[in-house]
Amino acid sequence: MRALRPLRALRGRTDVAPLREGAGVVERRTSLRGRAYALVIAVVLAPVAVIFGARQLDELEAGRMLADARRAAEAARGAVEASRGAPPAALASIEEAAAREGARVRVLDGGGRVLADRDGEPAASLRDRAGDLFFGPEGAPTLRDHDEAAAPLPERAEVRRALERGRDEGCSGALGGKLLVCHAALRFDAGDGPGVVLAQRGSPRAIRALYDVRYPLLKLSLYALLSGLALCALLVRRVVRPIEALRDEVLSRAEAPLSGEAITARAPREIGDLAAAFNALFAAIAEQGRSNHAFMVDLVHELKSPVAAVRAAADAMRGGGDLPAARAERLGRALHDSSQRLDALVTQFLELARAEAGLPGEERAEVDVGALVQGLARALREDPRHASLRVDAEVAEARVRCVPGRLESAIQNVLDNAASFAGEGGAVRARVRAQVRVQRGACEIEVTDTGPGIPAEDLPRVFDRFFTRRSSGRGTGLGLALARAIVEAHGGTLEAASPPGEGACFTIRLPLVSHGVHTQPTDDSPGV
C-alpha cells in the first residue's frame, strides 16, 4: 500500500510526470498541453523570426559585398592611373579585378562616357538557385536588371558624389527590395579631366523584400497567433481531457486492479483504443492471478499426500517400543516413497522456474537432434516398463543450438508421455525433419502415439502445471509444462493435437543451425 501513495498523489495533476524507478521522486516534464501551445507559437512566429534573422544576415553579407566592391574599384583606379588615363591599356587589369572580386566594374570619363565595362559577377550559387523558388516565374533579379531600371550612369547620385568628394560607397535595396546592391565609386584624374571608377555587386534577397512589410506581417502573425491558440485550446480540450480522465480512472483501480467493471471507452477513437488496452491488461492480470491461485492449490494438493505420509510414519515411530519388522519395513518404504515424491516435485518445480526464465547462464552448443532422438527412442525401446511397446524412429540430421541436457529432458518427457498413453501393445513414432524456409530453417520433431488421444476439452490444458490424466500415483503433471518451457527457452514452440479417433501428436519446432538431407528410417519393433 505504501508503494501506491505516489500513484495516488498523481491524481489531479495536469502535467505528465512518470515516477523515477526506485527513487520515489516524480520527474517533472513538459505536459502535452504545454507542448501543443509551444508548437503553435513556434509555427506562427517562425516567419517573423526568419525575416528578422535574415535582416541580420543581410547586414553581414552587405559588409562582405561592400569590401569586394571597394577592392575592385581601387584595383581598377590603380590600373587606370598607371595607364595615364588610357583605359584601353588597363582593360586586362580591370577585367582581372572584376573577376577576382565578383563585381561589375565601369570606368567613366569626365563627360560621362563609359570607357570600360567588365562584368565579373559569378554564376548563380546553390544559395541563389534555392532563393529562385521565392521569386516565381520571373526568376531572381540581377544587377543588369537594376542598371536597366536605374538612371543613366552620369546622373546617378553615387557618381556625382564621387566626383564631388572623391569617394562614395554604400549598400541599398533595389527593385522593390528584392536585390541588394553594394557600390564603391572612386574619382581618378585623367588627362582631359576627372573620371569615376564604379564597382558594383548585387545579390537577390527574397526575404529582404518581406522585411519592408515586416510591421503588417507582424500584425498578421499576432492575429494568426490568437486564432491558433484558440484552436489549440479546443484541440487540447478534446485530446488531453479524455487522457486525464482515463488516467484518473486507471489510478483509481491501483489498489484493486481486478475489481470493478471495464474502463469506459471514450472519444476520440485512439483514447478508446487505449482504454481497451488497459482493459486487456487488467484481464491478463486477472487471468494470471487465477492461474497462480490454481497453481498454488494444485501444489498444496500435490504436497499434502507425501507430507501426510511422512508425518504419519514419524508419529508411528515416536510411539516408542520395538516395531515389528514388517511394520518397520512398511514405514521405511512409506518414508522413502514420500521423500522421493517430494524430491521429484521440488526438483521439477525448480527446473520449470529456471526454464521459464530462459535458462540463464547455461552453456549452449550445437547438437544433432536426429541423433539425440534416435538415442532416446532406443532407450525407450529397451525400457522394461515398455517391453511390448512398438517404437518407430525416422530421423534426419538437424543441428540446433541448445543446452543439450535440457533439450534432451524436454524430448524425453514428450516420449515418456506418449509411451504412457500408448499402453500395452501400442506404438510410438518419433520423426525428425529439417525444413528450410525462405528466411530461416526449422527443425521439426513430431511424436505420435496410438493411445486414446486427448479429449477436446482437455487439449487447452495439456501444458498446464500439475494437469494429468494418468492413473493415480503416476507422474506429477509437470513433465509437459517443463518440456514446453524448455523448448520456448530455445526460441521454439511445442504444440499438441489429437484428431478424433486417433492418438495424440506433439510437435516441437526449433530454429536450425544447419540441416541435412538424408533420412534414416528404422523399425524398432520388439521381437516378441
Side-chain angles (χ1 to χ4, degrees):
M1 298 298 294
R2 185 179 302 173
L4 297 177
R5 292 175 184 172
L7 292 175
R8 291 195 295 267
L10 290 177
R11 298 176 191 173
R13 295 192 48 159
T14 58
D15 59 336
V16 179
L19 293 176
R20 182 186 299 165
E21 183 178 357
V25 178
V26 176
E27 294 181 353
R28 294 181 177 272
R29 296 181 182 177
T30 306
S31 65
L32 182 61
R33 181 185 288 103
R35 293 183 182 184
Y37 283 117
L39 180 61
V40 169
I41 294 173
V43 170
V44 173
L45 297 184
V48 178
V50 169
I51 291 172
F52 281 89
R55 172 63 178 175
Q56 304 302 318
L57 293 178
D58 283 351
E59 292 180 356
L60 297 176
E61 180 72 5
R64 187 181 65 82
M65 293 170 56
L66 184 59
D68 293 341
R70 186 185 301 117
R71 286 192 295 269
E74 291 175 350
R77 183 177 66 174
V80 171
E81 290 179 345
S83 64
R84 297 184 179 181
L91 286 180
S93 298
I94 296 174
E95 186 168 359
E96 179 183 356
R100 183 174 63 250
E101 305 299 339
R104 184 177 185 182
V105 180
R106 284 170 285 192
V107 180
L108 290 76
D109 62 10
R113 186 166 55 93
V114 178
L115 303 178
D117 186 352
R118 291 293 180 267
D119 192 352
E121 278 195 298
S125 63
L126 178 62
R127 176 183 173 183
D128 293 335
R129 287 194 295 270
D132 290 348
L133 299 174
F134 295 95
F135 291 103
E138 298 180 357
T142 64
L143 191 57
R144 289 189 175 276
D145 296 332
H146 164 66
D147 286 333
E148 291 176 0
L153 283 175
E155 300 178 7
R156 295 186 186 177
E158 57 266 29
V159 173
R160 292 199 302 269
R161 286 195 293 267
L163 288 174
E164 296 174 359
R165 307 172 187 172
R167 169 187 294 269
D168 186 72
E169 57 185 37
C171 296
S172 61
L175 300 179
K178 296 181 180 181
L179 183 70
L180 179 64
V181 178
C182 295
H183 71 274
L186 303 178
R187 186 179 62 191
F188 67 90
D189 294 327
D192 55 349
V196 175
V197 174
L198 177 62
Q200 292 176 300
R201 282 216 56 186
S203 178
R205 288 293 182 269
I207 299 180
R208 177 63 180 81
L210 296 177
Y211 184 77
D212 294 335
V213 293
R214 58 189 181 277
Y215 296 114
L217 183 62
L218 181 59
K219 293 181 181 180
L220 180 62
S221 298
L222 292 177
Y223 291 135
L225 178 62
L226 295 177
S227 302
L229 292 177
L231 180 61
C232 182
L234 178 61
L235 292 177
V236 165
R237 182 182 181 86
R238 295 293 303 273
V239 174
V240 177
R241 291 286 181 85
I243 293 178
E244 293 175 343
L246 178 60
R247 176 202 62 192
D248 294 339
E249 190 168 353
V250 170
L251 289 178
S252 68
R253 301 275 293 273
E255 295 181 2
L258 307 183
S259 64
E261 299 179 354
I263 296 176
T264 306
R266 296 177 173 82
R269 187 184 63 185
E270 289 77 7
I271 307 300
D273 293 342
L274 184 59
F278 276 114
N279 289 330
L281 175 62
F282 289 139
I285 294 174
E287 179 62 29
Q288 186 64 39
R290 287 190 292 268
S291 176
N292 291 339
H293 177 73
F295 166 68
M296 293 303 300
V297 171
D298 292 338
L299 180 60
V300 170
H301 177 74
E302 291 292 330
L303 292 176
K304 185 176 181 179
S305 296
V307 169
V310 170
R311 182 175 181 179
D315 290 342
M317 296 175 69
R318 288 173 55 191
D322 295 332
L323 294 175
R327 182 173 174 78
E329 182 182 355
R330 288 196 302 271
L331 291 175
R333 187 166 55 250
L335 286 173
H336 177 270
D337 293 344
S338 298
S339 62
Q340 194 174 37
R341 182 171 177 80
L342 284 174
D343 180 69
L345 278 172
V346 173
T347 300
Q348 282 194 306
F349 181 72
L350 292 177
E351 290 180 352
L352 178 60
R354 187 167 183 81
E356 289 179 342
L359 303 176
E362 299 198 21
E363 186 176 354
R364 307 198 177 204
E366 290 187 18
V367 172
D368 182 3
V369 177
L372 178 60
V373 171
Q374 186 75 273
L376 292 174
R378 186 180 303 111
L380 182 62
R381 181 187 352 119
E382 297 173 354
D383 190 334
R385 296 175 301 170
H386 306 295
S388 63
L389 185 67
R390 176 189 177 93
V391 180
D392 297 331
E394 180 182 332
V395 302
E397 181 183 353
R399 305 192 69 83
V400 301
R401 187 168 183 81
C402 64
V403 181
R406 298 292 188 178
L407 184 59
E408 180 180 353
S409 174
I411 300 174
Q412 180 71 62
N413 286 340
V414 176
L415 288 172
D416 286 344
N417 181 80
S420 297
F421 285 97
E424 295 292 332
V428 172
R429 183 188 184 193
R431 182 170 60 170
V432 177
R433 292 179 294 180
Q435 297 181 339
V436 181
R437 300 174 181 174
V438 177
Q439 295 181 346
R440 59 182 296 185
C443 166
E444 185 173 280
I445 308 166
E446 186 179 271
V447 178
T448 59
D449 63 64
T450 57
I454 305 173
E457 63 272 15
D458 291 343
L459 200 58
R461 302 179 57 199
V462 166
F463 299 105
D464 289 352
R465 300 166 178 172
F466 298 114
F467 177 80
T468 180
R469 289 300 185 190
R470 298 184 186 184
S471 58
S472 177
R474 298 180 59 194
T476 62
L478 290 175
L480 290 179
L482 177 59
R484 187 179 209 179
I486 292 174
V487 170
E488 291 179 349
H490 289 88
T493 60
L494 173 55
E495 299 173 349
S498 183
E502 301 181 16
C505 176
F506 289 85
T507 304
I508 299 174
R509 292 184 181 87
L510 295 167
L512 272 177
V513 173
S514 60
H515 64 278
V517 294
H518 65 280
T519 302
Q520 299 175 342
T522 59
D523 185 358
D524 298 327
S525 303
V528 294

